[in-house]
Amino acid sequence: METKAHIEEHHVGYTTYVLVWLALMVLTGITVWVSYLHFGVFNIVVALLIASIKASLVALYFMHLKFEDKTTWIFVLYPIVLLALLIGLTAVDVFFRTTP
Amino acid sequence: MEEIGIDVHAHHHVDPVVEYKASKLGMWLFLATELLLFGGLFAAYAIFRAKYPEMFHEEHKELDRTIGAINTVVLICSSLTMALGVASIQRGKKKLLSLFLLLTILFGIVFGINKYFEYGHKFEHHIYPSTSIFFALYFMMTGLHMLHVLAGVLVLTALLILSLKGKFSENYYTPIELGGLYWHLVDLIWIYLFPLLYLIS
Amino acid sequence: MANHTVAETIHVPYLEEKGILSWILSTDHKRIGIMYLVSISTFFVLAGIAALLVRLELLSPGKTIVDAHTYNVLFTFHGSAMVFLFIVPGIAASFGNFLIPLMIGARDVAFPRLNLLSYWLYLLGTVIILFSLLKPADTGWTFYTPYSIQTGTDVILLTFGVFILGFSSILTGLNFIVTVHKLRAPGMTWHRLPLFIWSSYATAILQLLATPVLGITLLLLIAERVFGIGFFDPAKGGDPILFQNFFWFYSHPAVYIMIIPAMGVISEVIPVFARKPIFGYKAIAYSSLAIALISFLVWAHHMFVSGMSEVAATVFSFLTFLVAIPTAIKVFNWLATLYKGSIELRTPMLYALSFIFLFTIGGLTGVFLGTLAADVHLHDTYFVVAHMHYVMIGGTVMGFFAALHFWYPKMFGKMYNEAVAKVAWFLVFVGFNVTFFPQFILGMEGMPRRYADYPPQFHTLHEISTIGSWILGLGILIMALNLLRSLTNGEKAPDNPFNSLSLEWQIPSPPPHENFEKIPHVTDWTYGYGKKNNQEG
């Protein structure tokens, strides 16, 4: 019963993949273009935002994350939270230290 | 002789559906560890970029945006061919799978060649990991990533050989999917490395 | 009223096949578990001998047996081997491997070949680490920068060895998580899982997600020395505090990697010998997970005196208390399980009770250290050494000994001599306290750690401590001889000598290769002692 089920649910069409690829290419173009503009600190924010959109596209469609179960999602999201913690708390420590 | 019977049994200790799902979960967990492995470098990047904004701004100009952009495109294309490879074997198209695997591998090799020239160029200009914090980050991040590309190409080559031998079908393609997941992660990390290292305005 | 199916017809005990190849090429989780058990026990003994030598040097002020450099090498070996080769893989790899499939009703772990690869990596890592001792590092087990990038000793090899071990640990954790998610027997719901499984699961998450950060840290350390990058070197614009942040991001969770499996063991042993259902099952189960989650937040409290900002220090001080809560929940529930139980003082139970007592002391002194003001005063004194050993020996090692005496009959199909085992327990318990309690006092009097020499006013306490280490060593020697002798001379063990309800005891001792002839269908949790026990018996 389940044998059939798992094969059905992962059939993503070729067209979808090509569309995702197109989006990735366009976003790459945008990210290069944006880097020539001057937003000050917002440059990196915009760059990371675009990178994250691209990464999400890769994960959701190419990696089929969209069709995965809750367990997989938890094990994808929790490490990202940890990564944010690692970067965030280390930064807090480095920049708010009283003694140099 | 009973041991033999049990050994055979041991190889099929779970049914194929469970094995398929277990393998995929296992791969995702592995990818999580990869993310945190690179995470240390991203944390170091964040700290030092905040500490030395001028250094990052000045020294990143030494990097070749064009090669960086080309490599980004190459990896995105390789991700597409990989995804198409999985899609073809899901539909039972074995030859198409081999073709897409081959393309993915070629893209991976092109990426490597570009990196080879890029590194060579840096060394010619006497830029080494010890030159500055920025270049230490550059070499560590892209170097670790390059190792992953290399590992990915090796894995995909092994999969290509198995595919040519006709090991995969619409009923069994777990290794292809796992290899694909790994390859996409390599692409995914580069998606961040490119703007962080090459596109500092 | 668990409906356990017992294998009767096919009975090929997993220990039957002989020859070294049948072991080192085996993908049987039970054999891999035993190989880990043998390996970690070996390193426990070797590192223990190094500790005895360290204590012997400290018997009197000035040079007793070795010079300061040899002393540094000895305690680096003691620390590195105990931490990386014994305690971190420890219970999780040995008993975890052996028990997880048995307890959840599976024939093996999810990826048996990967499991064998993990063991080989563990061996490779240990070989590299031991090889590095030919030209030993003297950094202590924390490899703190900048000293670790300047010292002339061979840090790279040691670091690389630890890196390989970390990889092994990641793969083991990955395997266990998938196994628990995907291979539970029908009816084995999450809330019917033995608590040892919950603790193994929580440990596996920590191993999986904390170890990569250690990996990259060690890689960077190697790159500092090989390529001359300067992330951690202030002279090159780097920041040594960055290293400490990374290091403790791994090492604080690692403290829980070391202790949570032991807590799982205690949760299994206590209900069996109190003949009562475990009290607060869900609280214990979820507190394991809670520890796994919170411990990632607590890492930086190890750096209070390394120059952390006051705000950050206060936040982490609070988080340190937070992690004490799930620990306290467990201790409370164990005590509640013991309350009015018909307690049977078999050897595993004695170790379990010692765990509760000693670990509570370790935990309380930890909270004491977590308090900002006290920490600044006691940092890097013997107080920290004593606290650490109350947690590691009083906690993990007691848990390990409890597990060893509890599952020994299942693992080897033999019974050990109960009276001798109890004598050994008594010596271990007394010897441990005589060794380490005086060190609390030494710390409060200001004796700094890590020195081969000390002023004469500390002499008496050091002397007591050294004598304690001899009692402790004797106790462990007697235990080891008792267990080894029983392998050949012990009585044949029944399938279920302690009347446990858990799945692993419902199959033969030692279990057959395939564990279960037929995968059991589970209908109840494993702690139905008391009224249900009568029906079972």
Side-chain angles (χ1 to χ4, degrees):
Chain A
M1 181 184 77
E2 260 195 326
T3 321
K4 296 281 171 275
H6 86 258
I7 289 171
E8 298 302 321
E9 70 182 353
H10 292 298
H11 273 199
V12 179
Y14 296 109
T15 342
T16 315
Y17 288 137
V18 174
L19 287 176
V20 170
W21 172 79
L22 263 177
L24 290 172
M25 297 299 273
V26 170
L27 285 167
T28 304
I30 293 177
T31 204
V32 173
W33 172 64
V34 160
S35 74
Y36 289 102
L37 306 177
H38 295 285
F39 304 133
V41 277
F42 286 103
N43 268 96
I44 184 153
V45 176
V46 172
L48 285 178
L49 199 68
I50 297 174
S52 298
I53 295 171
K54 287 166 76 183
S56 308
L57 284 174
V58 171
L60 287 173
Y61 292 97
F62 284 174
M63 300 170 90
H64 306 158
L65 185 59
K66 207 180 160 192
F67 311 99
E68 293 294 344
D69 57 12
K70 218 168 65 185
T71 313
T72 311
W73 273 88
I74 290 172
F75 281 108
V76 171
L77 293 179
Y78 186 52
I80 294 174
V81 172
L82 283 187
L83 185 62
L85 271 176
L86 175 66
I87 297 174
L89 288 180
T90 305
V92 166
D93 187 20
V94 169
F95 293 111
F96 293 92
R97 202 169 310 147
T98 40
T99 45
Chain B
M1 290 305 99
E2 228 154 21
E3 279 94 308
I4 296 166
I6 279 159
D7 267 1
V8 171
H9 201 73
H11 287 296
H12 302 281
H13 73 284
V14 288
D15 78 69
V17 177
V18 174
E19 196 169 358
Y20 170 77
K21 293 191 167 173
S23 305
K24 269 212 305 194
L25 180 60
M27 191 38 125
W28 277 104
L29 295 183
F30 181 71
L31 298 186
T33 69
E34 292 280 18
L35 183 72
L36 286 162
L37 184 77
F38 277 94
L41 288 171
F42 284 119
Y45 178 92
I47 302 300
F48 292 124
R49 174 149 181 190
K51 236 179 169 174
Y52 311 113
E54 292 83 18
M55 177 209 278
F56 277 63
H57 182 71
E58 285 309 313
E59 294 185 352
H60 100 280
K61 289 176 184 163
E62 300 280 338
L63 302 183
D64 190 332
R65 276 186 183 208
T66 318
I67 290 194
I70 290 173
N71 261 352
T72 309
V73 169
V74 165
L75 273 193
I76 289 174
C77 292
S78 79
S79 253
L80 174 68
T81 52
M82 188 67 234
L84 291 175
V86 174
S88 3
I89 195 64
Q90 279 175 336
R91 291 161 177 78
K93 296 179 175 152
K94 300 181 185 181
K95 282 186 183 156
L96 213 50
L97 168 67
S98 299
L99 174 70
F100 281 129
L101 282 176
L102 183 68
L103 282 174
T104 313
I105 293 166
L106 288 178
F107 280 128
I109 291 173
V110 170
F111 181 92
I113 292 172
N114 280 341
K115 264 265 79 63
Y116 174 81
F117 283 116
E118 212 185 335
Y119 282 163
H121 194 70
K122 294 285 160 307
F123 296 149
E124 273 171 30
H125 287 70
H126 302 289
I127 293 172
Y128 301 105
S130 55
T131 304
S132 74
I133 291 278
F134 176 78
F135 284 110
L137 275 168
Y138 164 77
F139 278 107
M140 287 307 289
M141 289 175 122
T142 58
L144 190 63
H145 179 261
M146 190 58 225
L147 281 180
H148 282 78
V149 172
L150 203 67
V153 166
L154 291 177
V155 168
L156 291 178
T157 308
L159 290 176
L160 176 61
I161 292 169
L162 290 175
S163 168
L164 289 172
K165 283 183 179 169
K167 297 278 182 196
F168 305 115
S169 69
E170 65 267 45
N171 297 316
Y172 177 68
Y173 52 84
T174 314
I176 300 291
E177 224 181 323
L178 301 188
L181 283 175
Y182 179 81
W183 188 257
H184 293 309
L185 182 88
V186 171
D187 179 25
L188 206 147
I189 286 172
W190 183 260
I191 284 177
Y192 282 95
L193 292 188
F194 175 54
L196 286 180
L197 294 171
Y198 292 80
L199 301 181
I200 305 169
S201 53
Chain C
M1 244 185 301
N3 184 15
H4 302 137
T5 315
V6 178
E8 285 154 336
T9 44
I10 304 175
H11 182 87
V12 188
Y14 80 103
L15 290 170
E16 202 86 320
E17 215 180 328
K18 304 287 182 221
I20 185 91
L21 282 183
S22 78
W23 281 91
I24 60 171
L25 295 178
S26 172
T27 55
D28 185 332
H29 69 99
K30 299 181 289 299
R31 288 197 162 210
I32 293 173
I34 297 292
M35 288 195 287
Y36 272 115
L37 184 63
V38 171
S39 315
I40 62 168
S41 304
T42 308
F43 294 116
F44 175 70
V45 170
L46 291 178
I49 291 171
L52 286 174
L53 292 173
V54 164
R55 278 304 336 154
L56 190 58
E57 167 57 34
L58 292 168
L59 181 61
S60 58
K63 184 184 164 183
T64 314
I65 49 164
V66 293
D67 59 35
H69 177 73
T70 317
Y71 176 86
N72 279 351
V73 168
L74 276 175
F75 92 62
T76 298
F77 172 71
H78 167 71
S80 307
M82 276 296 185
V83 170
F84 293 115
L85 305 185
F86 171 68
I87 293 186
V88 170
I91 295 173
S94 57
F95 289 96
N97 254 307
F98 189 91
L99 292 171
I100 288 173
L102 295 179
M103 282 182 158
I104 65 172
R107 295 203 196 281
D108 208 318
V109 292
F111 312 114
R113 277 177 296 182
L114 187 71
N115 201 17
L116 182 61
L117 176 68
S118 304
Y119 178 71
W120 285 349
L121 286 173
Y122 169 79
L123 270 194
L124 178 67
T126 52
V127 168
I128 293 172
I129 288 177
L130 293 178
F131 193 70
S132 79
L133 291 171
L134 295 176
K135 194 182 164 198
D138 54 0
T139 54
W141 67 278
T142 56
F143 311 112
Y144 260 24
T145 54
Y147 185 64
S148 57
I149 29 180
Q150 292 154 358
T151 173
T153 55
D154 204 343
V155 178
I156 293 180
L157 213 52
L158 181 59
T159 312
F160 186 64
V162 174
F163 178 77
I164 300 282
L165 283 186
F167 199 49
S168 155
S169 175
I170 287 174
L171 295 180
T172 303
L174 187 157
N175 219 334
F176 287 175
I177 293 175
V178 178
T179 306
V180 173
H181 269 284
K182 303 290 180 192
L183 297 191
R184 300 190 312 276
M188 183 58 94
T189 56
W190 283 89
H191 287 153
R192 284 179 186 158
L193 285 173
L195 288 164
F196 181 75
I197 299 297
W198 276 97
S199 69
S200 301
Y201 180 77
T203 310
I205 289 179
L206 288 174
Q207 279 180 311
L208 185 83
L209 298 179
T211 320
V213 177
L214 176 74
I216 191 67
T217 313
L218 297 177
L219 276 184
L220 290 176
L221 201 56
I222 292 173
E224 298 246 332
R225 292 186 63 118
V226 178
F227 303 122
I229 68 166
F231 289 176
F232 306 137
D233 189 351
K236 291 177 180 161
D239 197 334
I241 305 294
L242 190 64
F243 175 84
Q244 294 181 21
N245 267 308
F246 284 0
F247 181 81
W248 286 111
F249 185 86
Y250 165 76
S251 295
H252 196 82
V255 172
Y256 296 97
I257 292 177
M258 302 172 200
I259 194 68
I260 296 178
M263 291 172 160
V265 170
I266 304 309
S267 300
E268 295 303 319
V269 169
I270 284 184
V272 171
F273 295 99
R275 307 311 301 166
K276 269 182 67 190
I278 188 91
F279 187 87
Y281 171 89
K282 284 187 188 174
I284 296 180
Y286 288 113
S287 66
S288 289
L289 271 187
I291 291 176
L293 301 184
I294 301 172
S295 66
F296 279 110
L297 296 174
V298 192
W299 86 84
H301 82 86
H302 288 272
M303 296 168 293
F304 281 159
V305 294
S306 305
M308 184 197 267
S309 80
E310 239 167 82
V311 181
T314 313
V315 170
F316 284 119
S317 200
F318 172 73
L319 286 171
T320 309
F321 288 120
L322 210 59
V323 87
I325 295 170
T327 312
I329 288 175
K330 281 182 200 267
V331 173
F332 169 77
N333 283 304
W334 291 328
L335 294 177
T337 308
L338 290 168
Y339 179 68
K340 285 190 175 170
S342 25
I343 293 170
E344 199 185 347
L345 287 178
R346 301 283 287 261
T347 313
M349 187 62 158
L350 289 172
Y351 282 113
L353 296 175
S354 312
F355 174 101
I356 297 178
F357 178 66
L358 300 175
F359 184 73
T360 305
I361 296 179
L364 288 177
T365 51
V367 172
F368 196 48
L369 278 175
T371 319
L372 204 48
D375 192 24
V376 174
H377 172 64
L378 297 168
H379 186 87
D380 272 342
T381 69
Y382 262 68
F383 195 89
V384 176
V385 179
H387 157 69
M388 207 161 73
H389 284 85
Y390 265 82
V391 173
M392 301 290 172
I393 303 185
T396 311
V397 177
M398 290 299 156
F400 177 68
F401 290 164
L404 201 56
H405 288 87
F406 186 55
W407 282 291
Y408 183 92
K410 180 55 66 187
M411 288 180 143
F412 301 105
K414 294 288 169 71
M415 297 302 285
Y416 50 83
N417 184 314
E418 181 74 22
V420 176
K422 279 180 178 158
V423 171
W425 164 79
F426 181 77
L427 291 172
V428 166
F429 185 78
V430 172
F432 169 77
N433 283 296
V434 175
T435 311
F436 292 102
F437 198 78
Q439 297 188 0
F440 279 125
I441 308 171
L442 276 172
M444 286 190 282
E445 288 179 359
M447 168 81 198
R449 61 197 280 206
R450 296 201 173 115
Y451 289 94
D453 195 7
Y454 52 84
Q457 78 256 29
F458 298 126
H459 187 191
T460 318
L461 286 167
H462 270 300
E463 211 169 47
I464 296 173
S465 182
T466 301
I467 292 168
S469 73
W470 297 338
I471 305 174
L472 179 58
L474 181 68
I476 292 172
L477 181 70
I478 292 174
M479 172 205 298
L481 291 177
N482 184 27
L483 292 178
L484 287 174
R485 190 181 161 277
S486 307
L487 284 180
T488 50
N489 296 15
E491 270 177 57
K492 192 185 172 335
D495 290 353
N496 193 358
F498 305 124
N499 287 320
S500 167
L501 296 180
S502 187
L503 277 180
E504 79 272 22
W505 294 105
Q506 316 310 320
I507 54 172
S509 304
H513 261 304
E514 51 169 10
N515 295 352
F516 303 92
E517 191 196 3
K518 207 168 146 252
I519 294 295
H521 193 93
V522 182
T523 55
D524 201 357
W525 73 333
T526 50
Y527 299 105
Y529 299 102
K531 59 181 197 307
K532 282 178 183 171
N533 188 37
N534 299 334
Q535 296 164 11
E536 288 276 336

